[in-house]
Structures are given as structure tokens and as C-alpha cells.
Amino acid sequence: MPIKPRTSMPTQEAEARKRNFNEVALGYREEDAIAEAARCLQCKDAPCQKGCPVGVQIKDFIKAAKTGDWAAAYDKIKETNSLPAVCGRVCPQEEQCEKLCLLGKKGQPEAIGRLERYASDMAMKRGVNVQKPGDGAPGKGRKVAIVGSGPAGLTAAGDLAKLGYSVTIFEALHASGGVLIYGIPEFRLPKAIVAEEVDLLKKLGVEVRTDVIIGRTVTVDEVFAMGYEAVFLGTGAGLPKFMGIPGENLNGIYSANEYLTRTNLMKAYRFPDYDTPIKMGKKVAVIGAGNVAMDSVRSALRHGADEAFVVYRRTEKEMTARAEEFEHAIEEGVKFHFLTNPVKFLGDETGWVKGMEVQKMELGEPDASGRARPVPIPNSNYVMECDTVVVALGTSPNPLLSSTTPGLKTKEWGGLIVEEETGKTTRDAVYAGGDAVTGSATVILAMGAGKKAAKAIHEDLQERAKKA
Ligand SMILES: Cc1cc2nc3c(=O)[nH]c(=O)nc-3n(C[C@H](O)[C@H](O)[C@H](O)COP(=O)(O)OP(=O)(O)OC[C@H]3O[C@@H](n4cnc5c(N)ncnc54)[C@H](O)[C@@H]3O)c2cc1C
Ligand code: SF4
């Protein structure tokens, strides 16, 4: 029997959406979601599930979705995934569950992410979105501190709270969510969704203390002195990498981290309601080709750029952005200059960037990342004009915690050293996970790490209680 194509999801029209910050993908209607769920073969061994880093019982949730039982579908997802409305929107499903879906062997895979999104949105709308605390007995009266409120910290906090621990999240910023609120733009992940997920955690009893920088406001040692028996570090990788080429200090050149934080957290996207200082350039160059670069270049268009383009030293094949974000960027008119690498930024007499000298590249042998190495082509330099540049070349963890916490060791590039299976760091009773350990990765991997660490913290604290 021929395989039906997957049910498409409506989006805002490209011409309209490229000038607003509203969500691009509009989500399924109920009939779409049920039709898509009906495509699932309910495979005996459900290969899709092996591709999910937090082990969502995909087959079972889709079975409930088929009958329109969204509460049951949501409950099933929520058993293992604490942020499904987020994951349904931003996970790279094409590289995970959907990549292994049997339907994909002969046709298009099941749209697992879209169904996850629909089930979660329905649950939130209908108010069935209440996590069920366990009986709380094992952890009752025992305090655990979580540093950082990104996906890793939120997941660890939720799992520990369900076991009855008194959990406090310490967050450096004034709002919770990590990259979900300061990095990923509103047009991909509405901030109200993140706030709702955080509220649910609060309902589970998690306390969130914002504007507290651990390592500066208080140290990890002082957190232990406050009675916390274990600390989880989910501090992410917020330190931007630059190119180290001449002219990089010119005005109008941003790290993607700063550009997106000004846009999202500081609400430049709500100009003129918020008059956040940001250069809303007319010709914006974004360097890099991951999700961060796509978010930056698409934000530039929405800030009113006449032209927003990506400059990348490899080719489309080596890009790390989610396929959907790349497609959406093209639909919105973003131009891509592949095999091109900036070598110098050029400024005007007032110190603002006015262009960059770039060099053409060709692909050579694979490098340490396994991707083809870009090799400069001699005498191929030329100038590209631009009035704003956003550098989106990755980030690394901030050294603040490792420099203020005795015994906490890092790898040479700054990632915290942990035991793979438990997230245990080199410092007793301190655990870590997410980008702080791996460098910039994905939401779901950070959540998986938070989950593992929560389990290990629980087991260790139980063990200690037995010995006491
Ligand atoms: C622009 C952008 C787009 C992305 N798009 C995607 C995507 O589409 N799909 C995907 O899967 N992944 C995406 N990612 C990657 C993903 O967001 C990250 O891998 C994930 O958020 C990492 O989670 P985390 O909890 O480890 O850290 P973070 O989300 O970085 O959270 C860390 C939190 O810790 C806080 N903190 C740091 N230091 C301290 C301290 N000393 N004291 C207290 N608090 C502290 C920070 O303020 C922050 O809130 C994107 C990343 C960016 C930047
Ligand atoms: S592999 Fe695809 S078709 Fe099979 S159970 Fe999973 S989602 Fe359904």
C-alpha cells in the first residue's frame, strides 16, 4: 500500500512573517493531528523511540493521539519529557526519532514533533497540564540546588521535585529558561510557552531565585553551607567565540549571543514599546550556519533589514541548522554565501563597520569534527558590503564556576569534566549537565543530561541517608 504523505502544518506566509516576530509555524488543527497520528504503523519494536534522548514512549502517545485522547497522549509524553511544548517546536527530530521512523524507509516519516507540539498545546489550553508530584517521601525535607534555569536545570529540578526534594533554582538572569528565553526568538518559540513550563515547575514546589550569580553573588561552597546536600550545574555555554581577525572591534559587529539577547530578553523585537539599543542594520551579514546563525539572520530581516545574508566557509551539506529553519530562511529571502570566509572587517571614518574582506574556500579532507575541512583558495579575496555583522560561530562555558569552586575540573576548552552516566563532577556532591559539559548542543541533550543527573543525585542521597 502506498504511504500517504505527512500532513503539512500551516505557517504564516513568508512575505508577511519576515516582518513580524509572531510564531512562524501555526501548529496542526485537530483533524490534521488525528490524520497524522493515523499514519503511524504502531510498529512492534518502535524504532523511533531509540532516537529520543529522553526515551519518550512515542508509539503509545501516538496511539492515544489517534483517538483524539490528548490528555492521555500528553500524560504519556510527560512521563519522560518535562518540556514537550518546547521540544515539539525546536528539537531536530529529523536527526532523532523521525530519522529512525519506519515510514521514512519508503516515504515521509511520521511527524512526531508536530504531534508532540499539538498534544502539549492542547493540554495547556484545556488546563490538563498539571504535573503529578510523586508521594514525595524519598526526598522529603532534603534540599537540592540547581544552578541555571535552562533545559538541563529545569529538567533536573522537575525530576527531583517529583521525588519530594526541596529544590531551588538559582538563575543569574532576571527571567528563567536559559537559551529558551534569551537565545531562541519568539517567532520560533513563544516566550509564553516557556513561562508556562516554568510555572508548572513552580506548581510542583520548585523555588526559582533569579538575579543570583553563583560564583559571584554566592559561591557553591556557600550554597552547601545553606543546607543544600547536592548541587547541579546547568550553566550552559554562554561565552561567545570570535574570529580573531582585524577590525572585529568595530561598531556594528555583534556576537550572536549579544544580538539575540538584546532582541529577545531585552525585547528589542517589541520596538517601539521597548527602546532597547540595537543596530537595526539595512545590510546584515551573519557568519556561521547553525541554528544560532539562522535565528540571527531571520531576526535581522524582522528588524527591517533590506538584505540579510549568511556567510559560511563550508557548504549547505555541512550546515548544522535544523532543516526546517534553513528552509524557512530561504523562503524569507535570506541569501547564503557558501565556501566564503571573512578575513578582515572594514570600517568607515566614524568607526562603524561598512564591509568585510572575504576569501573563497574549497573543501578538503575531513577535520576533527568529521566534516570536510575548508581550505582557502589563494588570490580569491573580495569585499562584501554590510552595515551590521553578527558572529555566530559557537560558544563555550563561562569559567566563573570552575574558578570559584575548589575541586571542580574542566577540559582544556572549558567544559566541565563529568562521569558520562551520572553527571558527577570532580567535586563531591556537585553534578553537571547540558551545554556546560558538552559545549553548545541541543535542548533535548541538555534535558537528557538533567534527567540522568537527577537520578544519580537521588541515588546518592538515598545511599547517604542509609549510612547516616
Ligand atoms: C540562538 C540559539 C538557537 C538554538 N536553537 C536550538 C534549536 O532549535 N534546537 C535545539 O535543540 N537547540 C537549540 N539551541 C541549543 C540549545 O538551546 C542549548 O543546547 C540548550 O539551551 C542548553 O541548555 P542548558 O540548560 O545546558 O543551558 P542554557 O540554556 O544555556 O541555560 C543556562 C542557564 O544558566 C544560567 N547561568 C549561567 N551561569 C550561571 C551562574 N554562575 N549562576 C546562575 N545561573 C547561571 C544562564 O543565565 C542560563 O539561564 C540553540 C541555541 C541558541 C543560542
Ligand atoms: S517508527 Fe514511525 S511508524 Fe513506527 S511506531 Fe514509531 S512513529 Fe509510528
Side-chain angles (χ1 to χ4, degrees):
M1 207 173 53
I3 293 173
K4 276 193 193 163
R6 52 166 38 188
T7 317
S8 60
M9 177 164 64
T11 56
Q12 279 195 71
E13 287 298 327
E15 272 312 302
R17 76 185 189 229
K18 72 183 196 190
R19 295 298 183 209
N20 71 55
F21 275 87
N22 300 334
E23 195 171 12
V24 167
L26 301 174
Y28 277 152
R29 295 164 305 166
E30 184 162 25
E31 59 267 36
D32 299 330
I34 291 177
E36 184 56 27
R39 291 178 69 233
C40 173
L41 304 170
Q42 291 291 301
C43 313
K44 201 162 162 236
D45 59 345
C48 51
Q49 289 171 195
K50 297 188 186 83
C52 176
V54 295
V56 168
Q57 299 298 297
I58 295 168
K59 178 178 159 179
D60 290 350
F61 105 69
I62 296 182
K63 190 175 178 192
K66 262 187 191 185
T67 63
D69 187 349
W70 299 110
Y74 177 75
D75 277 352
K76 194 38 84 183
I77 300 170
K78 199 87 189 187
E79 276 175 18
T80 50
N81 183 337
S82 48
L83 305 171
V86 172
C87 289
R89 285 171 167 81
V90 305
C91 271
Q93 290 99 5
E94 72 271 15
E95 291 299 323
Q96 297 172 340
C97 50
E98 293 179 9
K99 192 175 185 177
L100 301 180
C101 170
L102 213 62
L103 284 171
K105 301 268 181 249
K106 290 200 176 141
Q108 291 177 302
E110 181 73 17
I112 300 168
R114 291 173 185 178
L115 287 176
E116 183 178 35
R117 169 190 166 136
Y118 185 80
S120 314
D121 288 358
M122 264 312 99
M124 282 186 180
K125 260 193 211 139
R126 293 181 183 169
V128 292
N129 190 3
V130 178
Q131 296 189 62
K132 296 173 190 69
D135 66 9
K140 209 169 173 64
R142 308 186 72 178
K143 287 167 64 174
V144 179
I146 307 289
V147 185
S149 64
L154 294 177
T155 303
D159 281 13
L160 287 162
K162 282 190 223 161
L163 288 163
Y165 292 93
S166 297
V167 181
T168 308
I169 298 181
F170 296 97
E171 167 55 53
L173 298 172
H174 64 270
S176 316
V179 169
L180 308 181
I181 48 151
Y182 80 74
I184 303 180
E186 179 78 11
F187 60 82
R188 270 212 302 135
L189 179 61
K191 302 308 143 213
I193 300 262
V194 183
E196 212 156 329
E197 298 278 24
V198 174
D199 275 351
L200 285 171
L201 278 185
K202 290 184 183 164
K203 283 188 189 143
L204 268 182
V206 173
E207 182 195 5
V208 183
R209 290 197 207 164
T210 50
D211 295 313
V212 182
I213 306 177
I214 302 296
R216 187 159 299 143
T217 321
V218 283
T219 62
V220 167
D221 286 335
E222 285 164 338
V223 170
F224 279 117
M226 288 153 75
Y228 292 93
E229 294 185 61
V231 176
F232 173 76
L233 306 175
T235 43
L239 209 60
K241 288 183 190 153
F242 281 97
M243 301 196 71
I245 59 173
E248 211 161 17
N249 288 330
L250 285 164
N251 293 323
I253 303 182
Y254 293 94
S255 68
N257 199 305
E258 180 183 350
Y259 187 74
L260 291 171
T261 301
R262 284 178 188 268
T263 299
N264 300 316
L265 189 68
M266 295 167 69
K267 301 208 174 355
Y269 76 93
R270 287 179 55 190
F271 179 82
D273 297 342
Y274 288 76
D275 195 7
T276 304
I278 189 168
K279 172 92 188 289
M280 302 204 181
K282 288 293 167 202
K283 207 165 191 180
V284 181
V286 173
I287 301 164
N291 286 320
V292 183
M294 295 309 110
D295 285 345
S296 302
V297 77
R298 296 173 71 202
S299 293
L301 279 180
R302 286 158 173 79
H303 282 313
D306 295 330
E307 208 184 310
F309 55 92
V310 163
V311 175
Y312 181 47
R313 61 192 186 141
R314 292 184 165 102
T315 69
E316 180 183 332
K317 196 164 152 254
E318 291 81 27
M319 284 178 67
T320 55
R322 290 178 77 220
E324 189 176 80
E325 309 319 324
F326 178 46
E327 281 159 25
H328 283 169
I330 290 176
E331 286 167 12
E332 289 166 14
V334 170
K335 296 275 175 297
F336 287 80
H337 298 270
F338 292 114
L339 291 170
T340 306
N341 195 35
V343 291
K344 191 203 260 183
F345 293 109
L346 310 168
D348 65 14
E349 55 292 347
T350 59
W352 284 85
V353 67
K354 65 170 188 182
M356 55 192 185
E357 184 180 322
V358 298
Q359 185 169 27
K360 290 304 287 177
M361 314 293 276
E362 60 190 353
L363 291 184
E365 292 301 308
D367 64 12
S369 72
R371 293 177 299 170
R373 184 191 301 274
V375 181
I377 302 176
N379 305 319
S380 63
N381 293 22
Y382 65 101
V383 169
M384 296 177 98
E385 279 180 24
C386 54
D387 61 12
T388 307
V389 175
V390 181
V391 181
L393 294 177
T395 49
S396 58
N398 190 311
L400 180 65
L401 276 160
S402 50
S403 63
T404 55
T405 312
L408 193 63
K409 294 205 179 112
T410 65
K411 295 184 186 142
E412 219 167 280
W413 55 269
L416 291 166
I417 296 176
V418 298
E419 271 180 24
E420 169 83 20
E421 279 314 306
T422 59
K424 260 185 199 175
T425 68
T426 50
R427 167 74 195 266
D428 192 35
V430 178
Y431 298 75
D435 284 4
V437 169
T438 56
S440 18
T442 61
V443 169
I444 197 78
L445 288 175
M447 289 173 60
K451 230 177 175 29
K452 267 190 203 168
K455 181 168 176 276
I457 289 172
H458 174 54
E459 284 167 4
D460 281 3
L461 292 187
Q462 291 300 103
E463 204 51 42
R464 270 198 247 167
K466 273 190 219 150
K467 286 183 190 154

